[in-house]
Amino acid sequence: MINLFEVTETNKMISEENLDVRTITLGVSLLDCIDSDLEKLNEKIYHKIYHAAKDLVKTGEEISREYGIPIVNKRISVTPIALVGGAACGRPEDFVTVARTLDRAAKDVGVNFIGGYSALVSKGMTEADRNLICSIPMALSSTERVCSSVNLGSTKTGINMDGVKLMGEIIKETAEQTRDQDSLGCAKLVVFCNAPDDNPFMAGAFHGVTEADKVINVGVSGPGVVKTALESVRGENFEVLCETIKKTAFKVTRVGQLVAQEASARLKVPFGIVDLSLAPTPAIGDSVADILCEMGLEYAGAPGTTAALALLNDQVKKGGVMASSYVGGLSGAFIPVSEDQGMINAVQAGALTLEKLEAMTCVCSVGLDMIAVPGDTKASSISGIIADEMAIGMVNQKTTAVRIIPVIGKGVGETVEFGGLLGYAPIMPVNRFSCEAFIGRGGRIPAPIHSFKN
Amino acid sequence: MEKTIITVVGKDAVGIIAKVCTYLAENGINILDISQTIVQGYFNMMMIVDTGAMDKPFGDLCDEMAALGGKTGVVIKCQKEEIFDKMHRI
């Protein structure tokens, strides 16, 4: 039987070390809503989402209460809207009406974000894809809860450089259109290489076309728990370090698995995956960078950071895989800047640069995340940063992403405040040399060779 | 059987266990196991109880126990056993 020590350990993780389930995300397919009449399309989308998700928030709260574990977010992901709206939306403005419908549905069921205002253009772009992408600035500036993502490349298809060029411009335009909120729109927009179909985390969540009609995906989190566990093994060798992370990741993930199964049973929706993640928040003691420091680095970004992060990411997966029956999504340690107090400290101390962050993304989950850059950064430079990140994902057969915020009207040394879970960030300098001619070429970068690995 | 873990943490005082047990008895909740320690004047108790025969919603139990804790000057939490079982047992 469970003993007092075990009960105290679990409750201490929850009350003192910020253990929580970061999100229950309900994936909803909108493929059966497709209609050539825009009004009918919007109506069908609203009803499908409303009926699928009306009990989501209540169920999440019940589970949270019964097990005493906080479930921070309840969210929805939908089929990429470029696919759903293609028949009805002949202009970017038409897609914006769909974004408003998603926003209204999300508000009415009480979720804080809805993802899937997306286009998958890893090889080429249809007219609908292009219209959706062009509508993103307008959609994100006129809605509150809609998140958008665009998949620009994959290991199998290469990188769509026309898409990369366009997204650099779209990110700048989104920043302009939301400039009175410190360019907040860009915090809800992410570009991917190898985007997963079952990611529960925003802003990149969408419900892939290979998924069932509805599915429950859960993202767990517990950087504070890992950090506390590592405090007890200071000075020990790497074997002990790795074992400690694995055991802790196992425990954290088991909670996610329990919540996912319960939510699935109560909502009568199949269980999809648990995303094994260390997702930080700006709260003190909920930082991935602090784990790296606990391992022995003065700041995240110091020499050794990439190795430390590689080790952390791998052990989290090794521990988590056994704890869950189905693992998917992004799975790994996230390294957003604005959402992690330890990362913010590292940038402010001058320890962490954009280039080091790029290196770190080679070994961890996702990529350049929540990075604020000067508002006068050129669109082509943003496209260049995206292209670099896509190349890392393409060659290494992993998911990479860019969520970068050119803060209009602000420069290096200033700080931008997004509020809530999105946190705040010091604005980081961008390499000032041009890549305009490279980005301007157009076309595609071919898929990499899958042999002769070096 | 529906096992629930009740934890009581706070400054030690006379009658904490009595008050908790009285509430449980009044609500048809059977106690299966109790362990308790006092560390530096702090009372730390865990009870494993069976809430299978309880006739009120689980949420009410949580609220009423929390309120009882508030009156007694301790923190009382009720959680279904699975969260501990999943985390600590393979």
Side-chain angles (χ1 to χ4, degrees):
Chain A
M1 234 185 313
I2 292 298
N3 62 44
L4 183 57
F5 172 78
E6 291 164 333
V7 169
T8 309
E9 184 189 342
T10 302
N11 283 343
K12 194 163 151 266
M13 284 182 186
I14 296 168
S15 61
E16 292 172 27
E17 297 160 15
N18 298 309
L19 172 64
D20 56 47
V21 169
R22 187 50 49 84
T23 180
I24 299 181
T25 303
L26 174 68
V28 183
S29 170
L30 298 183
L31 289 173
D32 54 357
C33 300
I34 291 175
D35 201 296
S36 56
D37 182 296
L38 185 59
E39 212 168 298
K40 274 191 197 152
L41 172 74
N42 276 309
E43 201 182 310
K44 284 186 192 173
I45 288 177
Y46 179 84
H47 284 110
K48 176 99 192 241
I49 295 172
Y50 186 82
H51 287 291
K54 63 182 189 309
D55 295 328
L56 176 65
V57 172
K58 185 168 71 92
T59 305
E61 281 165 4
E62 275 170 16
I63 295 171
S64 174
R65 198 178 198 197
E66 288 175 23
Y67 295 102
I69 176 86
I71 299 172
V72 184
N73 298 300
K74 276 70 76 176
R75 292 169 170 173
I76 299 170
S77 64
V78 298
T79 311
I81 293 298
L83 301 175
V84 180
C89 304
R91 305 170 304 154
E93 293 77 11
D94 296 339
F95 273 110
V96 176
T97 66
V98 180
R100 292 194 182 122
T101 302
L102 294 177
D103 202 40
R104 187 160 58 90
K107 200 171 177 190
D108 290 353
V109 298
V111 298
N112 60 355
F113 280 124
I114 181 164
Y117 197 72
S118 307
L120 309 177
V121 297
S122 55
K123 197 166 178 193
M125 247 185 270
T126 63
E127 198 50 38
D129 290 327
R130 183 175 288 277
N131 282 334
L132 180 122
I133 291 173
C134 291
S135 77
I136 289 172
M138 216 190 308
L140 293 183
S141 61
S142 63
T143 58
E144 191 191 340
R145 302 172 195 225
V146 173
C147 288
S148 179
S149 57
V150 179
N151 191 43
L152 292 172
S154 77
T155 302
K156 293 264 195 246
T157 62
I159 303 171
N160 180 348
M161 290 300 288
D162 290 329
V164 170
K165 179 170 186 285
L166 181 58
M167 281 314 296
E169 292 155 10
I170 292 294
I171 288 171
K172 281 287 296 220
E173 182 56 33
T174 305
E176 280 288 352
Q177 292 209 16
T178 52
R179 63 182 300 162
D180 51 346
Q181 296 169 279
D182 272 342
S183 304
L184 179 69
C186 295
K188 296 182 282 181
L189 171 59
V190 59
V191 294
F192 277 112
C193 179
N194 292 322
D197 280 357
D198 52 8
N199 164 26
F201 286 103
M202 296 298 168
F206 63 83
H207 185 75
V209 289
T210 56
E211 299 283 321
D213 189 54
K214 295 186 208 77
V215 72
I216 287 284
N217 297 323
V218 164
V220 297
S221 179
V225 183
V226 175
K227 188 197 175 263
T228 307
L230 292 186
E231 283 170 10
S232 64
V233 296
R234 267 184 202 158
E236 301 277 357
N237 66 22
F238 284 106
E239 184 182 355
V240 177
L241 180 70
C242 292
E243 283 299 311
T244 308
I245 297 171
K246 261 199 300 194
K247 284 179 192 159
T248 313
F250 176 84
K251 290 178 181 173
V252 168
T253 310
R254 288 288 271 189
V255 175
Q257 170 81 9
L258 172 67
V259 168
Q261 281 174 332
E262 276 298 317
S264 162
R266 292 182 194 194
L267 290 166
K268 298 186 181 64
V269 170
F271 160 51
I273 56 97
V274 173
D275 190 315
L276 313 174
S277 303
L278 288 180
T281 68
I284 302 294
D286 205 15
S287 155
V288 170
D290 286 354
I291 300 176
L292 304 178
C293 294
E294 184 57 47
M295 283 190 202
L297 303 172
E298 191 178 352
Y299 276 108
T305 299
T306 310
L309 187 59
L311 172 165
L312 173 66
N313 205 45
D314 190 48
Q315 301 310 316
V316 165
K317 287 179 193 172
K318 284 174 176 163
V321 158
M322 191 178 152
S324 174
S325 42
Y326 297 99
V327 172
L330 301 165
S331 285
F334 293 172
I335 51 165
V337 175
S338 78
E339 298 169 347
D340 186 319
Q341 187 59 46
M343 298 287 271
I344 295 167
N345 294 345
V347 172
Q348 281 170 338
L352 188 60
T353 61
L354 205 51
E355 284 72 20
K356 187 64 183 178
L357 275 165
E358 187 183 314
M360 289 161 75
T361 65
C362 300
V363 298
C364 83
S365 184
V366 199
L368 295 173
D369 196 13
M370 289 303 286
I371 293 168
V373 296
D376 59 4
T377 307
K378 284 196 289 189
S380 60
S381 296
I382 293 173
S383 294
I385 293 169
I386 294 172
D388 286 342
E389 201 55 38
M390 301 297 102
I392 290 170
M394 173 181 77
V395 170
N396 294 305
Q397 307 181 46
K398 72 185 286 293
T399 304
T400 49
V402 177
R403 183 160 53 146
I404 194 166
I405 303 119
V407 186
I408 305 298
K410 290 198 172 171
V412 175
E414 291 182 81
T415 300
V416 57
E417 181 84 48
F418 301 117
L421 274 182
L422 297 171
Y424 72 99
I427 292 174
M428 297 175 78
V430 174
N431 189 310
R432 64 192 168 82
F433 297 97
S434 172
C435 61
E436 208 155 346
F438 178 72
I439 295 300
R441 284 175 180 273
R444 269 187 290 145
I445 293 180
I449 195 158
H450 293 283
S451 185
F452 315 114
K453 297 269 180 194
N454 272 305
Chain B
M1 188 180 286
E2 285 175 28
K3 286 187 191 168
T4 297
I5 309 286
I6 298 175
T7 48
V8 184
V9 180
K11 219 166 161 22
D12 195 18
V14 174
I16 297 175
I17 296 182
K19 283 179 191 162
V20 174
C21 291
T22 307
Y23 175 89
L24 296 178
E26 283 167 0
N27 287 280
I29 298 167
N30 189 28
I31 300 170
L32 304 171
D33 188 38
I34 302 183
S35 39
Q36 181 237 311
T37 56
I38 292 174
V39 184
Q40 294 166 346
Y42 272 83
F43 180 84
N44 198 338
M45 176 172 74
M46 178 199 76
M47 280 179 168
I48 302 178
V49 301
D50 177 11
T51 46
M54 177 178 72
D55 55 1
K56 57 176 67 171
F58 195 85
D60 290 0
L61 169 71
C62 297
D63 290 344
E64 288 170 14
M65 283 298 244
L68 179 69
K71 272 191 274 174
T72 321
V74 291
V75 176
I76 306 183
K77 271 203 227 178
C78 302
Q79 292 156 283
K80 291 196 170 172
E81 192 207 22
E82 289 100 317
I83 186 165
F84 305 105
D85 212 36
K86 283 273 180 188
M87 193 184 262
H88 298 285
R89 299 284 181 273
I90 294 176

